[in-house]
């Protein structure tokens, strides 16, 4: 760690030595005294990190709401590589990581986020929000994260709202503007190169008919990545998962362990076409259409040891009774009546079985979204009308083949939990020899999620010559969204001839030897290569594998349990007033208003018939469900201007989030038990889910002591009602028990916390040291909600980490600019009620990320860039329960290095 910090610090100081003075420029409209207007930035003139921070600070200071912004520092350049990477630098925003990128952002720990593009609603597939990583960072002008939402903004985000700002033609100067970005990236675990291309062409001109602009923006990304996971599996209270030590004491052991290598080849094409025309009469017409695509050929290559599957156990060591405070009643009283269960720390398993499993996956998303509208702004009136649309299709294809060994010579020496990852030493069998593997079971899967929506809205702003009420604003919106979802059943089909009856060699070309540079050392994982099926073969020659397990050719039929359609119609109307007051010599301004929303929903799906005792039977029956909901969402925001630099900001709002469409599906989708899961599992929806409601209070003190410097503290408190979380319980389906996970409204809850933000450039330092600056923020969050499994008690809200912070060191002087960014997210709960009888709450351990970026302007038109991510090679760790005794996953991600060039003309 020390050497990486030293290298990065050296890069800062080298830049300082060779840099010369340069002044950052911005062109942001000052909206301090005009709260009814949107801040518009001419982004093409923001050409530095400092300039982007100044623009973001102006948006924050000018807004009547609690908002934090990220502004692109140049055409095609956010301060980070991806949208989610950039969002995690904002106080109160945290992200997760998978598939080689940051994803799943949460605002103050909550995932219920409304997403818009230039103010109109967008989404992906049947989700409520858009997959932010699917919108290329190179195409963005900026991002605004609203933690308090105004009446004129679309309802639907208890957590808040993220508005993605695309450029429009009038954001650029007159004449022709072009820009091209080229970047190449190397990923260490994937050991492959990737590339990113983007370009924009904008023409803006005037003639006797008015002012015109046309913009064309295109982006293409091709990214290779590789995740690796070393995991322990759950402890089932079954007698064949028991081992006895030399003293005669017995304990339970994890049913299996696994190593997963997850390489992927991801492509993201995207394009935007936009027009603007401002007539001589003052009417502005505009349209924009954006296409985003996502293609991901990826695989999960599993090596799974199953020491309980036959054979014997020896050299057993047990954790002592009460180790790390773990006391779980023994369901079988292995060591006497009324004793707590003991658990195995390590043993040697002989004459056992091992699985390799290849998950061959192909995902595809195609989304077209856009809007066209008109604006008239003159004197006292501003009128707008807009029609927006979104059409999104998400398709997945998955072929998973389990292949297994069955050899009396195989020996596995396993340590399950050692505060890091398990350790495994194997002997007696060549796992790279395909002749030792047999065809066991096939998972043949596909899904299709489709959604389309159109929305119409109109707004009217009336400016008043009134010292108390400066303006009034009214608006209406109607949206009609239809979704449907189809999926094949994901249960496995076993080999009818028996698990160890059909050698893999009976299908020529099925697979080969897998070898890789695993993140776990050979001392921890001695198995460095193994035979596995080919991902390409499984996806393109699936019928040959289907024949081997007795399935007909062609894709399997749709599973009624995973088939549903939904139509949602929403009508909203709002009104607000912007007010100005004075208490003595202290100005106070803000807005007060309300949004009224009427929602009607019609759901159709299938479910297993349920008898009078609540048990589900075989077969399916069609069900229809209609519901309506009426909400009044008041807003009261404002600022107290103690001075031009010192503000007290306050907000009281009410927000809602509607349930996800898949959560409303009443059916059960079941996965039968198998060698890696001793109890069948399933997922189901809940058509009785209600919208999540939240009443929100925010209070912040902000001090803007320089154009690019600020310090602020914000406290927030939310009362939640009906927050949705997933819970698993045992349900009987046709007499067979399954561990079923369903969403439930959890009753009452609260979310409270504190955000601290500090940003400053040290202009008072001498010479080259003037180029240094720092950004830092800290967020404390405490979230609790009712526990439906234990009435009268509360539990932590999932995904809420109590402590989170960012620290960013900036150096910018002359043509050189650089940032060293460190992010830390504390412990949080991932999920409850996981299977097994070990602690069944999954705790994610603290995660960290260190990234570096730098750029150098060769000329005004050419900039060279360098970016590096995950310099600390940080790992993700989670546990069953709060102790290291039951470690679950250790996940390792790529470190990346990228070089590029930006050209502006």
């Amino acid at each position: 760690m020390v050497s990486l910090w030293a290298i990065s610090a050296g890069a800062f100081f080298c830049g300082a030595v060779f840099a010369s003075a340069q002044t950052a420029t911005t062109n942001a409209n000052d909206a301090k005294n005009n709260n009814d207007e949107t801040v518009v930035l001419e982004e093409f003139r923001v050409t530095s990190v400092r300039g982007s921070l100044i623009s973001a600070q102006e948006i924050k200071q000018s807004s009547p709401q609690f908002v934090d912004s990220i502004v692109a520092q140049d055409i095609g350049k956010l301060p980070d590589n991806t949208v989610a990477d950039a969002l995690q630098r904002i106080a109160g925003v945290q992200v997760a990581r998978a598939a080689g990128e940051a994803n799943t952002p949460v605002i103050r720990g909550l995932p219920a986020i409304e997403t818009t593009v230039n103010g109109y609603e967008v989404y992906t597939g049947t989700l409520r929000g858009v997959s932010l990583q699917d919108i290329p960072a190179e195409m963005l002008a900026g991002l605004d994260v609203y933690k308090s939402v105004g009446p004129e903004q679309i309802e639907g985000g208890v957590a808040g709202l993220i508005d993605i700002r695309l450029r429009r033609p009038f954001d650029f100067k007159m004449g022709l503007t072009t820009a091209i970005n080229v970047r190449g990236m190397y990923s260490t675990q994937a050991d492959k190169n990737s590339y990113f291309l983007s370009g924009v062409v904008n023409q803006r001109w005037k003639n006797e008919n008015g002012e015109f602009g046309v913009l064309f923006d295109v982006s293409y990304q091709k990214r290779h990545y590789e995740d690796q996971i070393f995991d322990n599996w759950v402890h089932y209270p079954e007698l064949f998962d028991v081992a006895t030590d030399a003293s005669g004491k017995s304990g339970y052991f994890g049913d299996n362990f696994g190593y997963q290598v997850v390489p992927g080849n991801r492509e993201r094409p995207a394009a935007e076409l936009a027009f603007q025309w401002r007539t001589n009469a003052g009417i502005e017409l505009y349209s924009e259409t954006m296409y985003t695509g996502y293609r991901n050929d990826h695989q999960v290559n599993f090596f799974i040891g199953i020491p309980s599957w036959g054979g014997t156990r020896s050299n057993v060591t047990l954790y002592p009774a009460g180790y790390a405070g773990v006391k779980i009643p023994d369901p079988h009283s292995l060591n006497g009546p009324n004793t707590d269960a003991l658990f195995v720390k390590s043993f040697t398993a002989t004459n056992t079985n091992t699985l390799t499993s290849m998950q061959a996956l192909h995902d595809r998303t195609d989304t077209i979204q856009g809007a066209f509208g008109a604006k008239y702004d003159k004197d006292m009136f501003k009128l707008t009308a807009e029609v927006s649309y979104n059409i999104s299709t998400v398709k997945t294809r998955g072929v998973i083949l389990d292949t297994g060994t069955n050899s009396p010579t195989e020996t596995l020496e396993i340590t399950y939990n050692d505060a890091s990852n398990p350790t495994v030493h194997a002997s007696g069998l060549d796992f790279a020899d395909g002749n030792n593997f047999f065809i066991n079971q096939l998972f043949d899967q596909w899904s299709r999620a489709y959604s389309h929506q159109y929305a119409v809205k109109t707004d009217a702003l009336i400016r008043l010559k009134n010292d108390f009420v400066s303006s009034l604003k009214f608006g209406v919106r109607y949206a009609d969204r239809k979704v449907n979802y189809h999926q094949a059943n994901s249960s496995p089909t076993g080999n009818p001839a028996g698990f160890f009856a059909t050698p893999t060699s009976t299908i020529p070309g099925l697979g080969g030897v897998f070898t890789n540079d695993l993140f776990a050392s050979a001392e921890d994982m001695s198995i460095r290569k193994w035979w596995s099926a080919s991902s390409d073969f499984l996806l393109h020659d699936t019928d040959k594998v289907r024949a081997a397990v007795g399935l007909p050719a062609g894709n399997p039929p749709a599973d009624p349990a995973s088939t549903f359609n939904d139509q949602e119609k929403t009508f909203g109307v709002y009104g607000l007033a912007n007010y100005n007051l004075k208490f003595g010599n202290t100005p106070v301004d803000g807005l007060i208003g309300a949004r009224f929303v009427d929602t009607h929903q019609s759901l159709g799906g299938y479910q297993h018939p349920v008898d009078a005792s609540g048990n589900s039977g075989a077969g399916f029956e069609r069900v229809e469900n209609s519901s309506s909901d009426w909400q009044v969402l008041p807003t009261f925001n404002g600022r107290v201007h103690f001075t031009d630099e010192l503000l007290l900001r306050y907000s009281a709002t009410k927000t809602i989030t509607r349930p996800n469409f898949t959560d409303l599906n009443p059916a059960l989708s079941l996965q039968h038990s198998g060698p890696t899961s001793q109890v069948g599992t399933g997922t189901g929806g809940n058509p009785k889910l209600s919208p999540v409601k939240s009443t929100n209070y925010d209070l912040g003190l902000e001090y803007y002591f320089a154009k690019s410097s600020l310090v602020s503290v914000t406290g927030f408190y939310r009362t939640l009602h009906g927050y949705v979380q997933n819970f698993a319980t045992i349900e009987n389906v046709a007499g067979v028990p399954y561990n079923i996970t369903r969403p439930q409204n959890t009753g009452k809850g609260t979310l409270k916390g504190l955000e601290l933000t500090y940003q400053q450039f040290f202009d008072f330092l001498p010479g080259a040291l003037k180029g240094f600056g720092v950004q830092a923020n800290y967020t404390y969050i405490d979230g609790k909600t009712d526990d439906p499994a234990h009435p009268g008690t509360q539990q932590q809200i999932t995904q809420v980490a109590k402590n989170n912070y960012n620290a960013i060191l900036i150096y910018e002087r002359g043509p050189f600019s650089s940032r060293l960014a460190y992010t830390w997210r504390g412990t949080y709960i991932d999920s409850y009620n996981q299977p097994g009888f070990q602690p069944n709450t999954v705790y994610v351990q603290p995660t960290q990320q260190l990234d570096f970026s730098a750029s150098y302007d060769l000329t005004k038109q050419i900039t060279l860039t360098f970016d590096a991510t995950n310099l600390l090679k940080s790992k993700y760790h989670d546990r069953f329960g709060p102790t290291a005794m039951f470690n679950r996953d250790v996940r390792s991600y790529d470190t990346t290095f990228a070089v590029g060039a930006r050209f502006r003309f």
Side-chain angles (χ1 to χ4, degrees):
M1 180 184 298
V2 173
S3 61
L4 287 172
W5 279 95
I7 291 171
S8 300
F12 277 101
F13 285 102
C14 287
V17 171
F18 292 103
S20 60
Q22 182 182 28
T23 303
T25 61
T26 66
N27 186 12
N29 292 337
D30 185 358
K32 291 182 181 179
N33 299 310
N34 193 13
N35 296 336
D36 52 55
E37 300 293 336
T38 301
V39 175
V40 179
L41 302 171
E42 295 191 50
E43 312 292 7
F44 70 92
R45 297 184 63 183
V46 180
T47 57
S48 66
V49 172
R50 185 165 183 165
S52 70
L53 295 179
I54 291 172
S55 298
Q57 181 169 310
E58 288 177 346
I59 295 173
K60 179 181 180 70
Q61 187 175 5
S62 302
S63 173
Q65 299 161 252
F66 284 85
V67 60
D68 287 292
S69 298
I70 301 165
V71 175
Q73 66 192 54
D74 200 352
I75 300 174
K77 178 56 179 174
L78 278 182
D80 288 279
N81 292 330
T82 70
V83 173
D85 280 334
L87 285 172
Q88 71 177 326
R89 315 296 181 201
I90 289 178
V93 179
Q94 298 85 43
V95 302
R97 295 188 179 276
E101 62 187 0
N103 52 40
T104 322
V106 294
I107 298 178
R108 295 171 175 170
L110 301 182
I113 301 170
E114 178 68 33
T115 53
T116 59
V117 165
N118 288 348
Y120 58 86
E121 188 175 32
V122 292
Y123 55 80
T124 301
T126 56
L127 299 176
R128 285 291 181 185
V130 74
S131 295
L132 290 167
Q133 58 271 25
D134 284 354
I135 298 179
E138 291 86 352
M139 297 181 69
L140 302 190
L143 297 160
D144 298 319
V145 178
Y146 290 89
K147 299 169 186 176
S148 67
V149 180
E152 75 277 23
Q153 292 173 304
I154 298 170
E155 74 287 342
V158 164
L161 181 146
I162 296 176
D163 185 46
I164 302 158
R165 287 187 282 112
L166 302 179
R167 292 179 179 82
R168 283 179 172 167
F170 288 176
D171 293 339
F172 293 82
K173 62 186 179 181
M174 281 291 178
L176 179 66
T177 300
T178 60
I180 299 172
N181 293 338
V182 181
R183 191 157 56 99
M185 175 185 289
Y186 173 75
S187 302
T188 55
Q189 285 189 169
D191 193 23
K192 291 183 178 179
N193 295 312
S194 306
Y195 61 88
F196 305 80
L197 306 173
S198 67
V200 60
V201 178
N202 190 84
Q203 180 70 53
R204 183 176 176 183
W205 70 97
K206 285 184 177 180
N207 59 28
E208 65 276 7
N209 296 313
E211 186 175 344
F212 299 84
V214 58
L215 175 149
F216 181 65
D217 202 347
V218 64
S219 171
Y220 182 80
Q221 303 177 1
K222 186 175 181 64
R223 170 74 193 279
H224 294 279
Y225 65 88
E226 182 174 289
D227 297 349
Q228 294 185 21
I229 305 172
F230 209 174
D231 57 42
N232 291 297
W233 284 51
V234 299
H235 295 71
Y236 289 102
E238 306 295 343
L239 290 176
F240 51 78
D241 287 343
V242 169
T244 303
D245 69 7
S247 71
K249 291 185 177 181
S250 299
Y252 300 90
F253 59 87
D255 185 55
N256 44 55
F257 69 89
Y259 202 109
Q260 306 171 39
V261 180
V262 190
N265 176 15
R266 180 172 56 236
E267 299 176 53
R268 284 196 171 105
E272 178 200 6
L273 181 63
F275 299 92
Q276 280 182 284
W277 174 25
R278 185 179 293 126
T279 70
N280 294 326
I283 299 174
E284 180 184 318
L285 304 175
Y286 66 89
S287 72
E288 64 185 25
T289 300
M290 184 180 187
Y291 166 79
T292 58
Y294 169 81
R295 316 282 186 265
N296 193 8
D297 287 306
H298 55 119
Q299 59 184 259
V300 183
N301 196 332
F302 272 96
F303 183 94
I304 308 171
I306 312 178
S308 66
W309 193 357
T312 59
R313 270 68 61 190
S314 61
N315 302 323
V316 178
T317 61
L318 303 176
Y319 285 104
Y323 175 83
V326 176
K327 294 185 178 181
I328 301 173
D330 188 343
H332 296 293
S333 300
L334 297 177
N335 302 300
N338 302 317
T339 56
D340 291 327
L342 298 179
F343 294 91
V344 173
K345 180 177 183 180
S346 64
F347 60 33
T348 300
T350 56
N351 188 18
T352 185
N353 296 290
T354 298
L355 291 181
T356 61
S357 178
M358 173 58 75
Q359 299 186 359
L361 307 165
H362 174 74
D363 302 334
R364 177 184 178 121
T365 299
D366 294 282
T367 299
I368 298 176
Q369 55 208 9
F372 54 91
K375 299 179 183 179
Y376 176 78
D377 190 354
K378 189 174 182 180
D379 300 327
M380 294 178 60
F381 298 99
K382 181 180 180 181
L383 302 175
T384 63
E386 182 180 83
V387 177
S388 63
Y389 56 92
N390 191 312
I391 304 170
S392 184
T393 303
V394 178
K395 296 180 180 179
T396 69
R397 174 88 173 94
V399 183
I400 304 170
L401 182 66
D402 289 351
T403 53
T405 66
N406 182 18
S407 171
T409 62
E410 180 181 344
T411 299
L412 298 175
E413 297 178 26
I414 304 171
T415 300
Y416 281 98
N417 302 288
D418 60 356
S420 179
N421 47 257
T423 60
V424 181
H425 297 96
S427 60
L429 184 69
D430 184 1
F431 293 102
D433 187 350
N435 295 318
N436 292 327
F437 286 86
F438 299 82
I439 295 173
N440 285 355
Q441 56 186 359
L442 174 69
F443 301 76
D444 197 359
Q445 306 169 355
W446 61 267
S447 71
R448 178 183 182 273
Y450 173 79
S451 180
H452 72 266
Q453 174 180 277
Y454 71 86
V456 180
K457 70 174 184 177
T458 182
D459 303 272
L461 172 70
I462 305 173
R463 301 182 180 95
L464 303 176
K465 296 179 180 179
N466 187 301
D467 293 336
F468 176 57
V469 178
S470 60
S471 65
L472 299 173
K473 192 173 184 181
F474 308 93
V476 296
R477 178 179 182 266
Y478 174 78
D480 188 340
R481 182 174 178 185
K482 296 180 180 179
V483 306
N484 62 68
Y485 186 83
H486 298 79
Q487 175 180 284
N489 190 285
S490 56
S491 293
T493 300
N495 186 354
F499 267 35
F500 301 105
T502 306
T504 57
S505 58
T506 59
I507 304 179
L510 176 61
V513 178
F514 170 83
T515 182
N516 204 323
D517 185 13
L518 307 180
F519 83 83
S521 67
E523 288 75 22
D524 285 348
M525 176 69 169
S526 68
I527 307 160
R528 312 306 292 177
K529 57 184 179 180
W530 57 83
W531 185 96
S532 67
S534 160
S535 176
D536 287 341
F537 188 95
L538 293 180
L539 286 174
H540 301 296
D541 294 278
T542 316
D543 283 343
K544 295 179 182 179
V545 187
R546 291 175 178 137
V549 297
L551 290 176
N555 288 336
D559 178 16
S562 297
T563 298
F564 71 89
N565 58 274
D566 201 335
Q567 182 173 17
E568 183 176 87
K569 297 181 179 181
T570 304
F571 177 78
V573 58
Y574 75 88
L576 66 86
N578 284 282
Y579 62 86
N580 292 280
L581 305 171
K582 267 197 174 183
F583 293 93
N585 294 321
T586 303
V588 178
D589 60 18
L591 65 85
I592 184 170
R595 189 175 186 88
F596 306 88
V597 184
D598 187 25
T599 304
H600 293 265
Q601 193 166 85
S602 300
L603 171 71
Y606 298 85
Q607 69 177 14
H608 297 283
V610 180
D611 62 25
S613 62
N615 292 323
S616 299
F620 294 94
E621 60 183 12
R622 177 75 176 178
V623 293
E624 305 283 346
N625 185 66
S626 297
S627 63
S628 61
D629 182 71
W630 170 259
Q631 297 289 335
V632 179
L633 308 175
T635 298
F636 179 50
N637 291 330
R639 299 173 297 174
V640 180
H641 299 261
F642 295 120
T643 69
D644 289 342
E645 296 79 25
L646 182 63
L647 304 177
L648 178 69
R649 192 183 302 274
Y650 54 88
S651 174
T653 63
K654 184 177 180 180
T655 53
I656 63 167
T657 290
R658 302 180 184 92
N660 290 321
F661 293 104
T662 52
D663 288 344
L664 295 168
N665 180 21
L668 285 175
S669 180
L670 302 175
Q671 297 86 45
H672 307 307
S673 59
T676 60
S677 177
Q678 295 172 12
V679 176
T681 61
T683 56
N686 181 358
K688 297 181 180 180
L689 286 176
S690 300
V692 182
K693 303 173 186 178
S694 177
T695 303
N696 320 301
Y697 304 95
D698 296 80
L699 184 65
L701 188 64
E702 303 166 3
Y703 179 47
Y704 299 87
F705 56 93
K707 193 173 184 179
S708 57
S709 301
L710 71 93
V711 60
S712 68
V713 56
T714 301
F716 56 90
Y717 183 86
R718 297 185 175 188
T719 59
L720 301 168
H721 183 77
Y723 189 72
V724 176
Q725 294 193 160
N726 290 319
F727 296 88
T729 57
I730 297 296
E731 298 181 21
N732 288 314
V733 180
V736 179
Y738 289 85
N739 194 64
I740 304 297
T741 300
R742 294 181 185 272
Q744 297 183 41
N745 290 110
T746 56
K748 296 180 180 179
T750 59
L751 187 82
K752 57 188 176 182
L754 186 72
E755 295 173 356
L756 302 174
T757 300
Y758 166 63
Q759 176 179 301
Q760 184 176 11
F761 278 84
F762 303 117
D763 296 325
F764 54 84
L765 294 176
L769 297 179
K770 288 184 178 180
F772 278 104
V774 65
Q775 281 182 291
N777 60 66
Y778 166 77
T779 306
Y780 171 81
I781 316 172
D782 184 22
K784 293 184 174 67
T785 188
D786 288 345
D787 181 355
H790 302 90
T793 65
Q794 289 203 320
Q795 61 185 9
Q796 291 289 327
I797 296 176
T798 56
Q799 308 302 314
V800 173
K802 284 193 173 183
N803 296 288
N804 313 267
Y805 65 86
N806 291 280
I808 302 173
L809 182 63
I810 303 167
Y811 185 82
E812 185 166 80
R813 191 161 176 83
F816 179 78
S817 176
S818 59
R819 297 192 330 151
L820 184 66
Y822 178 80
T823 300
W824 192 88
R825 183 181 185 184
T827 298
Y828 62 91
I829 292 174
D830 175 78
S831 57
Y832 291 102
N833 290 30
Q834 291 296 310
F837 83 119
Q838 78 289 328
N840 54 24
T841 297
V842 176
Y843 288 77
V844 177
Q845 301 308 296
T847 57
Q848 61 178 344
Q849 178 91 0
L850 180 66
D851 301 329
F852 176 74
S853 63
S855 65
Y856 188 85
D857 294 331
L858 286 179
T859 68
K860 290 184 178 180
Q861 290 77 36
I862 302 174
T863 299
L864 303 180
T865 64
F866 172 78
D867 299 280
T869 67
N870 193 22
L871 289 171
L872 299 179
K873 299 183 180 180
S874 303
K875 306 291 191 297
Y876 166 102
H877 298 259
D878 61 21
R879 299 170 175 170
F880 293 109
T883 73
M885 183 175 175
F886 298 106
N887 283 306
R888 189 177 74 156
D889 285 359
V890 182
R891 305 177 189 174
S892 178
Y893 305 117
D894 281 307
T895 295
T896 68
F897 302 95
V899 294
R902 297 197 300 270
F903 305 89
R904 303 172 297 277
F905 306 98

